[in-house]
Amino acid sequence: MSFNSFAEFLHMGGYGFYVWLSYGFTAALLIILVINSKRKEKQLFAKISQRLKREAKLKQVAKQNSGKIKQEQVNPETVNTDQFNTTQENKG
Amino acid sequence: MQLTYRKAFKTILVRDLTIAIRHRDDIFNPLLFFIITVSLFPLGIGPEANTLMKIAPGIIWVAALLATLLSLERLFKNDHADGSLEQLLLSPCPTFVLVLAKITAHWIITGLPLIIIAPLLGVLLNLHQDSYLALMLTLLIGTPVLSLLGAIGVALTVGIKKGGVLLSLLILPLYIPVLIFATSAIDAASMNLPYDGQLAIIGAIFVGSLTLAPFAVGSALKVSIN
Amino acid sequence: MWKWLHPYSNPQTTYNLCGTLTPWFAGISAILLTIGLAMSLVFSPPDYQQGESVRIFYIHVPSAMLSMGIYLGMAISALCALVWQMKLTETSIAAMAPVGATFTAIALFTGAAWGKPMWGTWWVWDARLTSELILLFLYLGVIALHNAFEDKELAGKAASVLALVGVINLPIIHYSVEWWNTLHQGATISKFDKPSMSTDMLIPFAISFFGFAFMVASLICIRFKAEIIARNSMRPWVKALAMEKEAN
């Protein structure tokens, strides 16, 4: 222990300003770097999940649309196949 | 048709020189920039002869660096724009030879005029009379290094839209050793001291960059062209 | 012999490895830095010449050493990237450059803050400070070049070429600056002359150095993970991870 009191510790034998300035600057810069590094990945994941949601929505809309079209156009066809199936069953 | 290396080198050299001579601005604009920058310094610092004599080598060399930097962008830009750079890279001749030819052409277009005009600027800045030979010699060995190292930066930034400022950020730190040794050689000459040591180091840097830089330029171009 | 390395060319494996390593590195660094800083700030004796200002030494020198070490690491990655075409080593350059630049800035700032009471001015063109400044320029060049490319894969390749060119030039720059400094040495007295470090100083120095080193390692791991994600955002495993993160 090279200091007797807390005031002496802050004073640093007259060099307090420079010592605390450099320690403070270092701490500030490192904290900024840590936060920045951590946030980067989080932001990327947020972006990706946003994109995934949008894609899923688009897919759903596309499916619904195509489903509607199918229902409108394909209905007679399904009837036909049903008839075909029944005929097959009859044959069997 | 198979080209020998020497023929390929010559073809590209002549092509680039012809293009430069047809667009004379490419030669004169950096030179004009060089002269104007140098003549700004006495206006900013004051016309006192002794001060000017002291700072002349540094000013001339820094201005030469900036002038080279200004002219570098044209090294690959037009070829990249019209697609001939891709053709060059696709040719069976090794990129080393092609790149070296282009750099040589660039040096002849920008380096040589700088060397020729530098003594004139030395007069403007009241350069010490014993320093003229050293100034010419350092420029003669140093400017090829500037072209070689600069070509790496241009090759890296040629695919980027606003590469000009980026280029200076990439290249200027690499120019520092040449600047240090060149100016100290000129200083030594003004004090009647031998300066062959500094010249030898610049020569070593020149030889080193001559052998290594074209490889770096080649791989950088491959990245940029993709 | 190198077979153990092969699985790590898969981004997912490396991502998971970084994920498991990060807390360890961060924990070790937190412990070491706490001990090291306590020792260097409170328990180490003041220097007989420089008094208490010597305490800046315990962050200035480790960050200066690390800033050069990270550049060397970047250059090794660049060499691997260019010679063996390893995609992940290109990615790691992007992760290392900002960390290295930060530590260079710390070394510069603390050097200036140390120089003010020692030399009387904030900045002298001391050989080490000057080469540290140039190192910062080189780092900023790599970062700027990497940011300039839209395509991150091209960006990694370009940055690796530049890092290699830089590392070849760095010793030349360093020695030329040193030589230039001795040539123009006027009133400046090099206060950073290698003092024969006593064990009282060596132990806190070593502990804080390793503390910072582990901090660098954990930061690089975190950034490396982010860079991997950025480059593989279309892969199914990344999508699954994103869903998982979303659910939490």
Side-chain angles (χ1 to χ4, degrees), chain C residues 141-229:
Chain C
V142 172
I143 295 171
L145 185 65
H146 192 272
N147 288 343
F149 279 92
E150 287 283 319
D151 183 344
K152 284 297 162 218
E153 228 160 77
L154 285 186
K157 279 198 182 114
S160 56
V161 172
L162 187 65
L164 261 189
V165 172
V167 89
I168 294 170
N169 270 276
L170 205 56
I172 302 172
I173 293 173
H174 179 76
Y175 285 109
S176 65
V177 166
E178 215 154 72
W179 179 83
W180 162 81
N181 194 245
T182 52
L183 191 76
H184 291 270
Q185 196 144 52
T188 62
I189 316 138
S190 185
K191 281 280 182 188
F192 296 125
D193 270 348
K194 278 175 203 135
S196 49
M197 236 192 278
S198 63
T199 42
D200 289 343
M201 281 175 75
L202 189 64
I203 291 169
F205 166 72
I207 292 175
S208 50
F209 173 77
F210 283 110
F212 281 119
F214 276 105
M215 186 173 194
V216 165
S218 62
L219 279 171
I220 288 175
C221 276
I222 294 172
R223 295 196 86 94
F224 192 28
K225 271 163 62 185
E227 295 292 337
I228 291 177
I229 292 298

XYZ file of all heavy atoms in Angstrom, chain C residues 141-229:
690
model
N -6.923 2.888 -42.066
C -6.976 2.568 -43.491
C -7.661 1.238 -43.727
O -8.520 1.112 -44.599
N -7.292 0.230 -42.942
C -7.901 -1.095 -43.107
C -9.403 -1.017 -42.850
O -10.217 -1.537 -43.626
C -7.244 -2.116 -42.156
C -8.007 -3.430 -42.186
C -5.808 -2.368 -42.553
N -9.793 -0.302 -41.772
C -11.217 -0.215 -41.434
C -11.968 0.527 -42.540
O -13.041 0.094 -42.980
C -11.401 0.499 -40.080
C -10.792 -0.348 -38.965
C -12.871 0.737 -39.791
C -10.732 0.357 -37.638
N -11.368 1.632 -43.008
C -12.042 2.427 -44.031
C -12.203 1.618 -45.312
O -13.253 1.648 -45.956
C -11.251 3.703 -44.309
N -11.160 0.877 -45.671
C -11.233 0.074 -46.895
C -12.301 -1.004 -46.745
O -13.070 -1.281 -47.662
C -9.873 -0.562 -47.183
C -9.792 -1.321 -48.500
C -9.950 -0.384 -49.663
C -8.483 -2.065 -48.621
N -12.340 -1.604 -45.559
C -13.330 -2.662 -45.333
C -14.743 -2.106 -45.410
O -15.643 -2.758 -45.939
C -13.082 -3.308 -43.970
C -13.838 -4.568 -43.771
N -15.104 -4.586 -43.258
C -13.526 -5.851 -44.047
C -15.530 -5.828 -43.214
N -14.597 -6.623 -43.684
N -14.934 -0.901 -44.892
C -16.273 -0.316 -44.923
C -16.674 0.148 -46.308
O -17.862 0.268 -46.595
C -16.350 0.876 -43.959
C -16.349 0.417 -42.526
O -16.605 -0.749 -42.254
N -16.051 1.317 -41.618
N -15.664 0.442 -47.147
C -15.982 1.023 -48.453
C -16.620 0.016 -49.390
O -17.325 0.386 -50.320
C -14.721 1.608 -49.080
N -16.369 -1.266 -49.147
C -16.925 -2.275 -50.052
C -18.314 -2.681 -49.588
O -18.542 -2.894 -48.398
C -16.037 -3.522 -50.073
C -14.846 -3.402 -50.953
C -13.646 -2.952 -50.453
C -14.927 -3.745 -52.288
C -12.539 -2.846 -51.270
C -13.829 -3.637 -53.105
C -12.629 -3.192 -52.595
N -19.232 -2.778 -50.529
C -20.573 -3.254 -50.200
C -20.528 -4.758 -49.947
O -21.101 -5.264 -48.998
C -21.528 -2.968 -51.363
C -21.901 -1.525 -51.513
C -22.932 -1.090 -50.494
O -23.867 -1.857 -50.240
O -22.778 0.016 -49.947
N -19.826 -5.456 -50.833
C -19.740 -6.908 -50.749
C -18.714 -7.281 -49.680
O -17.530 -6.965 -49.812
C -19.320 -7.449 -52.123
C -19.281 -8.957 -52.146
O -19.283 -9.565 -51.061
O -19.246 -9.520 -53.244
N -19.179 -7.912 -48.589
C -18.279 -8.131 -47.462
C -17.171 -9.129 -47.787
O -16.093 -9.088 -47.186
C -19.082 -8.627 -46.249
C -19.846 -7.529 -45.570
C -18.910 -6.466 -45.007
C -19.624 -5.169 -44.728
N -18.856 -3.988 -45.042
N -17.429 -10.007 -48.737
C -16.381 -10.976 -49.065
C -15.219 -10.289 -49.778
O -14.060 -10.536 -49.476
C -16.968 -12.070 -49.944
C -16.593 -13.445 -49.445
C -17.529 -14.488 -49.974
O -17.370 -14.843 -51.151
O -18.399 -14.936 -49.207
N -15.578 -9.382 -50.711
C -14.533 -8.591 -51.382
C -13.821 -7.717 -50.370
O -12.597 -7.561 -50.416
C -15.162 -7.698 -52.445
C -15.617 -8.371 -53.728
C -16.075 -7.315 -54.695
C -14.478 -9.173 -54.316
N -14.595 -7.160 -49.448
C -14.014 -6.272 -48.433
C -12.946 -7.014 -47.633
O -11.862 -6.486 -47.397
C -15.110 -5.764 -47.502
N -13.252 -8.254 -47.251
C -12.287 -9.031 -46.492
C -11.013 -9.277 -47.280
O -9.904 -9.152 -46.756
N -11.181 -9.579 -48.573
C -9.996 -9.846 -49.396
C -9.146 -8.597 -49.542
O -7.918 -8.635 -49.399
C -10.432 -10.348 -50.776
C -10.764 -11.812 -50.756
C -10.771 -12.401 -52.150
C -11.157 -13.847 -52.061
N -12.437 -14.154 -52.679
N -9.815 -7.468 -49.830
C -9.073 -6.215 -50.006
C -8.350 -5.839 -48.714
O -7.177 -5.465 -48.730
C -10.033 -5.105 -50.426
N -9.063 -5.976 -47.594
C -8.451 -5.629 -46.311
C -7.264 -6.529 -46.025
O -6.264 -6.082 -45.461
C -9.488 -5.730 -45.198
N -7.343 -7.793 -46.434
C -6.211 -8.672 -46.143
C -4.994 -8.297 -46.988
O -3.870 -8.367 -46.499
C -6.593 -10.135 -46.324
O -7.094 -10.367 -47.593
N -5.223 -7.883 -48.241
C -4.080 -7.416 -49.043
C -3.433 -6.211 -48.370
O -2.213 -6.148 -48.193
C -4.526 -7.040 -50.479
C -3.392 -6.383 -51.235
C -5.007 -8.261 -51.226
N -4.277 -5.265 -47.933
C -3.750 -4.048 -47.319
C -3.018 -4.356 -46.009
O -1.962 -3.790 -45.731
C -4.888 -3.064 -47.062
C -4.415 -1.708 -46.570
C -3.608 -1.018 -47.633
C -5.567 -0.850 -46.136
N -3.574 -5.288 -45.220
C -2.931 -5.622 -43.944
C -1.555 -6.226 -44.187
O -0.600 -5.931 -43.467
C -3.798 -6.584 -43.157
N -1.448 -7.036 -45.219
C -0.141 -7.638 -45.521
C 0.856 -6.588 -45.978
O 2.012 -6.587 -45.527
C -0.294 -8.693 -46.621
C -0.379 -10.122 -46.150
C -0.298 -11.050 -47.324
C 0.766 -10.435 -45.204
N 0.399 -5.702 -46.865
C 1.290 -4.623 -47.316
C 1.724 -3.791 -46.114
O 2.899 -3.446 -45.973
C 0.568 -3.744 -48.360
C 1.396 -2.520 -48.691
C 0.305 -4.528 -49.615
N 0.781 -3.531 -45.221
C 1.087 -2.735 -44.041
C 2.116 -3.401 -43.152
O 3.018 -2.748 -42.648
N 1.984 -4.710 -42.969
C 2.893 -5.364 -42.039
C 4.298 -5.474 -42.618
O 5.271 -5.491 -41.872
C 2.349 -6.732 -41.607
C 2.786 -7.834 -42.523
C 2.778 -7.030 -40.189
N 4.401 -5.503 -43.945
C 5.744 -5.479 -44.529
C 6.366 -4.105 -44.315
O 7.551 -3.969 -44.046
C 5.695 -5.840 -46.027
C 5.255 -7.295 -46.183
C 7.044 -5.627 -46.689
C 4.947 -7.687 -47.591
N 5.516 -3.082 -44.412
C 6.024 -1.719 -44.278
C 6.271 -1.306 -42.839
O 7.066 -0.410 -42.590
C 5.040 -0.741 -44.924
C 5.367 -0.535 -46.367
O 6.210 0.270 -46.710
N 4.731 -1.309 -47.216
N 5.552 -1.930 -41.927
C 5.595 -1.461 -40.543
C 7.007 -1.431 -39.941
O 7.400 -0.421 -39.355
C 4.654 -2.311 -39.685
C 4.131 -1.627 -38.439
C 3.435 -0.330 -38.794
C 3.173 -2.535 -37.706
N 7.804 -2.511 -40.090
C 9.168 -2.418 -39.541
C 9.993 -1.332 -40.208
O 10.745 -0.622 -39.521
C 9.774 -3.793 -39.829
C 8.706 -4.629 -40.378
C 7.517 -3.816 -40.640
N 9.810 -1.172 -41.527
C 10.563 -0.133 -42.234
C 10.176 1.234 -41.684
O 11.027 2.073 -41.371
C 10.291 -0.204 -43.753
C 10.669 -1.571 -44.295
C 11.056 0.888 -44.475
C 10.268 -1.786 -45.722
N 8.864 1.435 -41.517
C 8.399 2.711 -40.989
C 8.947 2.919 -39.581
O 9.474 3.976 -39.249
C 6.860 2.756 -40.975
C 6.313 2.764 -42.399
C 6.359 3.974 -40.226
C 4.822 2.641 -42.489
N 8.859 1.859 -38.774
C 9.293 1.978 -37.389
C 10.769 2.365 -37.288
O 11.136 3.304 -36.586
C 9.034 0.656 -36.668
C 9.465 0.680 -35.242
N 8.728 1.334 -34.278
C 10.543 0.175 -34.620
C 9.342 1.215 -33.131
N 10.448 0.510 -33.297
N 11.611 1.658 -38.053
C 13.040 1.959 -37.952
C 13.379 3.289 -38.584
O 14.270 3.992 -38.087
C 13.868 0.813 -38.533
C 13.878 -0.344 -37.582
C 13.198 -1.514 -37.860
C 14.512 -0.234 -36.347
C 13.164 -2.563 -36.960
C 14.479 -1.269 -35.437
C 13.811 -2.424 -35.745
O 13.765 -3.430 -34.835
N 12.663 3.661 -39.643
C 12.959 4.964 -40.235
C 12.574 6.080 -39.278
O 13.294 7.068 -39.147
C 12.252 5.115 -41.580
O 10.872 5.125 -41.412
N 11.437 5.881 -38.583
C 11.025 6.902 -37.625
C 12.019 6.980 -36.475
O 12.398 8.071 -36.022
C 9.607 6.602 -37.102
C 9.308 7.427 -35.875
C 8.584 6.894 -38.158
N 12.493 5.836 -36.031
C 13.452 5.818 -34.938
C 14.744 6.532 -35.343
O 15.307 7.327 -34.602
C 13.771 4.370 -34.572
C 14.010 4.186 -33.089
C 13.696 2.776 -32.680
O 14.499 1.887 -33.047
O 12.671 2.555 -32.028
N 15.167 6.243 -36.570
C 16.388 6.834 -37.091
C 16.222 8.335 -37.248
O 17.083 9.125 -36.876
C 16.711 6.168 -38.428
C 17.923 6.674 -39.092
C 19.195 6.294 -38.836
C 17.980 7.667 -40.108
N 20.051 6.990 -39.645
C 19.321 7.830 -40.430
C 17.016 8.410 -40.784
C 19.734 8.712 -41.398
C 17.422 9.289 -41.750
C 18.777 9.437 -42.039
N 15.052 8.720 -37.755
C 14.736 10.136 -37.941
C 14.738 10.847 -36.600
O 15.199 11.962 -36.468
C 13.364 10.214 -38.610
C 12.664 11.517 -38.537
C 12.864 12.597 -39.328
C 11.610 11.874 -37.638
N 12.010 13.601 -38.972
C 11.236 13.185 -37.949
C 10.949 11.205 -36.616
C 10.235 13.842 -37.261
C 9.959 11.859 -35.932
C 9.604 13.161 -36.258
N 14.241 10.146 -35.583
C 14.170 10.729 -34.253
C 15.544 10.962 -33.653
O 15.823 12.012 -33.094
C 13.355 9.799 -33.367
C 12.965 10.482 -32.090
O 13.401 10.083 -31.027
N 12.181 11.539 -32.187
N 16.445 10.011 -33.821
C 17.785 10.197 -33.279
C 18.513 11.298 -34.040
O 19.332 12.017 -33.482
C 18.611 8.911 -33.372
O 18.553 8.433 -34.709
C 18.105 7.861 -32.427
N 18.170 11.425 -35.343
C 18.804 12.448 -36.167
C 18.423 13.845 -35.682
O 19.261 14.735 -35.586
C 18.365 12.251 -37.614
C 19.115 13.044 -38.653
C 20.461 12.405 -38.876
C 18.325 13.046 -39.950
N 17.117 14.002 -35.374
C 16.622 15.332 -35.029
C 16.528 15.536 -33.530
O 15.815 16.404 -33.079
C 15.240 15.553 -35.647
C 15.280 15.660 -37.128
N 15.448 16.843 -37.794
C 15.204 14.716 -38.080
C 15.457 16.632 -39.082
N 15.303 15.341 -39.290
N 17.215 14.693 -32.770
C 17.042 14.786 -31.335
C 17.610 16.091 -30.815
O 18.812 16.303 -30.793
C 17.721 13.617 -30.633
C 17.244 13.474 -29.215
C 17.162 12.020 -28.842
O 18.126 11.301 -29.012
N 16.026 11.600 -28.354
N 16.712 16.965 -30.418
C 17.161 18.228 -29.865
C 17.021 18.186 -28.364
O 17.811 17.560 -27.658
N 15.941 18.830 -27.863
C 15.766 18.952 -26.423
C 15.088 17.732 -25.817
O 15.054 17.595 -24.612
C 14.945 20.198 -26.129
N 14.499 16.878 -26.676
C 13.716 15.792 -26.105
C 14.635 14.759 -25.462
O 15.650 14.363 -26.013
C 12.877 15.089 -27.161
O 13.762 14.516 -28.108
C 11.937 16.047 -27.832
N 14.230 14.364 -24.283
C 14.966 13.298 -23.606
C 14.026 12.113 -23.580
O 12.878 12.243 -23.168
C 15.324 13.687 -22.167
C 15.840 15.116 -22.138
C 16.321 12.717 -21.555
C 15.299 15.907 -20.976
N 14.490 10.991 -24.027
C 13.600 9.847 -24.042
C 13.390 9.339 -22.626
O 14.282 8.793 -22.004
C 14.163 8.739 -24.916
O 13.219 7.713 -24.999
N 12.161 9.574 -22.136
C 11.847 9.131 -20.784
C 11.465 7.660 -20.786
O 11.322 7.054 -19.740
C 10.681 9.960 -20.230
C 11.136 11.320 -19.743
C 11.754 11.250 -18.378
C 12.147 12.626 -17.894
N 12.900 12.604 -16.667
N 11.215 7.146 -21.989
C 10.779 5.760 -22.055
C 11.953 4.807 -22.195
O 11.792 3.692 -22.634
C 9.798 5.553 -23.212
C 8.530 6.329 -23.034
C 8.090 7.210 -24.001
C 7.780 6.178 -21.886
C 6.918 7.918 -23.829
C 6.605 6.897 -21.710
C 6.183 7.760 -22.687
N 13.128 5.295 -21.864
C 14.280 4.404 -21.885
C 13.973 3.185 -21.039
O 13.411 3.298 -19.960
C 15.509 5.113 -21.306
C 16.291 5.828 -22.375
O 15.996 5.557 -23.564
O 17.157 6.652 -22.035
N 14.389 2.050 -21.557
C 14.023 0.815 -20.865
C 14.558 0.841 -19.443
O 15.761 0.746 -19.209
C 14.614 -0.377 -21.605
C 13.757 -0.796 -22.778
C 14.418 -1.890 -23.580
C 13.868 -1.881 -24.982
N 14.876 -1.997 -26.004
N 13.671 1.021 -18.469
C 14.158 0.948 -17.103
C 14.263 -0.527 -16.721
O 13.452 -1.340 -17.141
C 13.058 1.646 -16.304
C 11.826 1.542 -17.141
C 12.221 1.207 -18.534
N 15.266 -0.851 -15.952
C 15.337 -2.236 -15.493
C 14.211 -2.403 -14.485
O 14.250 -1.858 -13.390
C 16.686 -2.511 -14.840
O 16.957 -1.501 -13.901
N 13.158 -3.097 -14.956
C 11.940 -3.145 -14.154
C 12.160 -3.976 -12.898
O 12.637 -5.108 -12.970
C 10.842 -3.765 -14.985
C 9.636 -2.870 -15.103
S 8.273 -3.774 -15.786
C 8.597 -3.704 -17.516
N 11.776 -3.412 -11.772
C 11.884 -4.192 -10.555
C 10.680 -5.124 -10.466
O 9.683 -4.922 -11.161
C 11.910 -3.270 -9.337
O 10.686 -2.579 -9.279
N 10.787 -6.144 -9.631
C 9.680 -7.097 -9.539
C 8.428 -6.419 -9.003
O 7.322 -6.825 -9.336
C 10.046 -8.271 -8.613
O 10.724 -7.762 -7.490
C 10.892 -9.299 -9.334
N 8.608 -5.349 -8.193
C 7.449 -4.604 -7.695
C 6.614 -4.074 -8.851
O 5.404 -3.940 -8.759
C 7.922 -3.402 -6.855
C 8.518 -3.853 -5.546
O 8.274 -5.007 -5.182
O 9.235 -3.051 -4.920
N 7.310 -3.711 -9.946
C 6.605 -3.186 -11.100
C 6.215 -4.297 -12.065
O 5.197 -4.231 -12.728
C 7.481 -2.176 -11.834
C 7.529 -0.817 -11.200
S 8.691 0.234 -12.062
C 7.788 0.637 -13.531
N 7.084 -5.291 -12.148
C 6.897 -6.325 -13.167
C 5.624 -7.121 -12.937
O 4.888 -7.411 -13.875
C 8.115 -7.256 -13.182
C 8.145 -8.235 -14.348
C 8.251 -7.489 -15.649
C 9.293 -9.208 -14.203
N 5.339 -7.459 -11.687
C 4.169 -8.302 -11.417
C 2.867 -7.598 -11.772
O 2.068 -8.134 -12.537
C 4.186 -8.793 -9.947
C 5.345 -9.775 -9.785
C 2.877 -9.455 -9.576
C 5.635 -10.139 -8.359
N 2.632 -6.361 -11.266
C 1.386 -5.698 -11.697
C 1.335 -5.480 -13.199
O 0.276 -5.597 -13.803
C 1.395 -4.372 -10.947
C 2.713 -4.244 -10.332
C 3.330 -5.571 -10.261
N 2.519 -5.183 -13.795
C 2.539 -4.984 -15.243
C 2.104 -6.249 -15.959
O 1.247 -6.215 -16.848
C 3.949 -4.578 -15.698
C 4.140 -4.673 -17.177
C 3.532 -3.762 -18.013
C 4.898 -5.690 -17.728
C 3.678 -3.861 -19.387
C 5.051 -5.792 -19.091
C 4.445 -4.874 -19.918
N 2.688 -7.396 -15.550
C 2.362 -8.654 -16.228
C 0.887 -8.995 -16.055
O 0.219 -9.391 -17.012
C 3.229 -9.773 -15.675
N 0.385 -8.786 -14.821
C -1.025 -9.142 -14.591
C -1.945 -8.258 -15.421
O -2.872 -8.728 -16.073
C -1.358 -9.030 -13.085
C -0.604 -10.114 -12.316
C -2.849 -9.200 -12.862
C -0.757 -10.022 -10.834
N -1.664 -6.949 -15.450
C -2.573 -6.098 -16.226
C -2.397 -6.356 -17.718
O -3.370 -6.284 -18.473
C -2.404 -4.622 -15.888
O -1.060 -4.255 -15.932
N -1.161 -6.711 -18.129
C -0.981 -7.038 -19.547
C -1.854 -8.219 -19.929
O -2.577 -8.185 -20.932
C 0.492 -7.353 -19.845
C 0.716 -7.853 -21.240
C 0.713 -6.971 -22.304
C 0.889 -9.199 -21.489
C 0.875 -7.427 -23.592
C 1.071 -9.662 -22.779
C 1.065 -8.773 -23.830
N -1.810 -9.285 -19.117
C -2.614 -10.459 -19.481
C -4.106 -10.156 -19.354
O -4.912 -10.683 -20.124
C -2.203 -11.670 -18.648
C -0.925 -12.271 -19.142
C 0.242 -12.181 -18.412
C -0.883 -12.901 -20.387
C 1.434 -12.709 -18.887
C 0.294 -13.424 -20.869
C 1.450 -13.338 -20.121
N -4.450 -9.299 -18.389
C -5.849 -8.883 -18.289
C -6.323 -8.219 -19.559
O -7.364 -8.578 -20.120
N -5.517 -7.275 -20.068
C -5.891 -6.613 -21.319
C -5.896 -7.604 -22.469
O -6.744 -7.540 -23.360
C -4.936 -5.452 -21.615
C -5.231 -4.208 -20.840
C -4.299 -3.675 -19.979
C -6.444 -3.572 -20.980
C -4.568 -2.523 -19.263
C -6.731 -2.428 -20.279
C -5.785 -1.902 -19.409
N -4.927 -8.533 -22.455
C -4.829 -9.488 -23.566
C -6.084 -10.358 -23.629
O -6.645 -10.577 -24.710
C -3.585 -10.351 -23.400
N -6.553 -10.814 -22.456
C -7.770 -11.626 -22.476
C -8.977 -10.792 -22.860
O -9.902 -11.280 -23.504
C -7.983 -12.307 -21.123
C -7.212 -13.582 -20.992
C -6.067 -13.654 -20.214
C -7.609 -14.705 -21.690
C -5.345 -14.822 -20.118
C -6.894 -15.880 -21.598
C -5.751 -15.941 -20.809
N -8.937 -9.535 -22.481
C -10.030 -8.650 -22.888
C -10.063 -8.523 -24.408
O -11.128 -8.600 -25.030
C -9.826 -7.283 -22.254
C -10.979 -6.366 -22.513
S -10.756 -4.877 -21.595
C -12.377 -4.188 -21.737
N -8.884 -8.336 -24.998
C -8.791 -8.279 -26.459
C -9.346 -9.562 -27.062
O -10.130 -9.533 -28.012
C -7.322 -8.067 -26.889
C -7.157 -8.357 -28.353
C -6.873 -6.672 -26.579
N -8.961 -10.698 -26.466
C -9.414 -11.979 -27.021
C -10.933 -12.073 -26.976
O -11.566 -12.464 -27.970
C -8.786 -13.123 -26.238
N -11.523 -11.675 -25.851
C -12.981 -11.804 -25.765
C -13.664 -10.824 -26.711
O -14.651 -11.173 -27.370
C -13.457 -11.604 -24.332
O -13.128 -10.325 -23.901
N -13.106 -9.621 -26.832
C -13.713 -8.640 -27.742
C -13.639 -9.122 -29.179
O -14.603 -9.005 -29.946
C -12.993 -7.293 -27.612
C -13.405 -6.430 -26.444
C -12.478 -5.249 -26.318
C -14.824 -5.950 -26.651
N -12.480 -9.700 -29.530
C -12.337 -10.185 -30.903
C -13.319 -11.321 -31.140
O -13.940 -11.401 -32.215
C -10.884 -10.615 -31.177
C -9.995 -9.382 -31.270
C -10.783 -11.397 -32.463
C -8.534 -9.687 -31.418
N -13.503 -12.181 -30.135
C -14.466 -13.274 -30.290
C -15.865 -12.726 -30.538
O -16.579 -13.196 -31.431
C -14.478 -14.152 -29.043
S -13.192 -15.381 -29.048
N -16.244 -11.713 -29.752
C -17.596 -11.153 -29.913
C -17.765 -10.562 -31.306
O -18.741 -10.822 -32.012
C -17.854 -10.075 -28.836
C -17.875 -10.712 -27.445
C -19.170 -9.378 -29.095
C -17.922 -9.702 -26.332
N -16.768 -9.787 -31.723
C -16.880 -9.151 -33.039
C -16.815 -10.174 -34.157
O -17.460 -10.037 -35.189
C -15.765 -8.116 -33.211
C -15.843 -6.972 -32.277
C -14.973 -5.843 -32.737
N -15.660 -4.996 -33.682
C -16.315 -3.897 -33.310
N -16.343 -3.530 -32.074
N -16.919 -3.163 -34.213
N -16.006 -11.198 -33.930
C -15.856 -12.259 -34.930
C -17.197 -12.940 -35.150
O -17.604 -13.206 -36.283
C -14.808 -13.254 -34.437
C -14.332 -14.232 -35.460
C -14.327 -13.926 -36.806
C -13.866 -15.485 -35.080
C -13.881 -14.839 -37.747
C -13.416 -16.392 -36.009
C -13.436 -16.067 -37.342
N -17.909 -13.191 -34.026
C -19.228 -13.811 -34.122
C -20.145 -12.945 -34.982
O -20.842 -13.453 -35.864
C -19.820 -13.979 -32.720
C -19.439 -15.300 -32.079
C -19.667 -15.293 -30.594
C -21.107 -15.086 -30.217
N -21.279 -14.975 -28.768
N -20.114 -11.636 -34.691
C -20.993 -10.741 -35.444
C -20.646 -10.753 -36.928
O -21.535 -10.781 -37.792
C -20.884 -9.323 -34.884
N -19.333 -10.772 -37.227
C -18.931 -10.766 -38.646
C -19.358 -12.057 -39.332
O -19.775 -12.062 -40.490
C -17.408 -10.585 -38.773
C -16.882 -9.247 -38.294
C -17.327 -8.094 -39.168
O -17.655 -8.320 -40.345
O -17.367 -6.967 -38.651
N -19.243 -13.182 -38.599
C -19.674 -14.462 -39.178
C -21.163 -14.407 -39.498
O -21.592 -14.801 -40.589
C -19.379 -15.627 -38.210
C -17.875 -15.850 -38.087
C -20.028 -16.909 -38.700
C -17.508 -16.928 -37.093
N -21.933 -13.868 -38.551
C -23.379 -13.782 -38.771
C -23.670 -12.904 -39.981
O -24.493 -13.241 -40.834
C -24.064 -13.189 -37.517
C -23.964 -14.161 -36.356
C -25.516 -12.870 -37.795
C -24.636 -15.451 -36.572
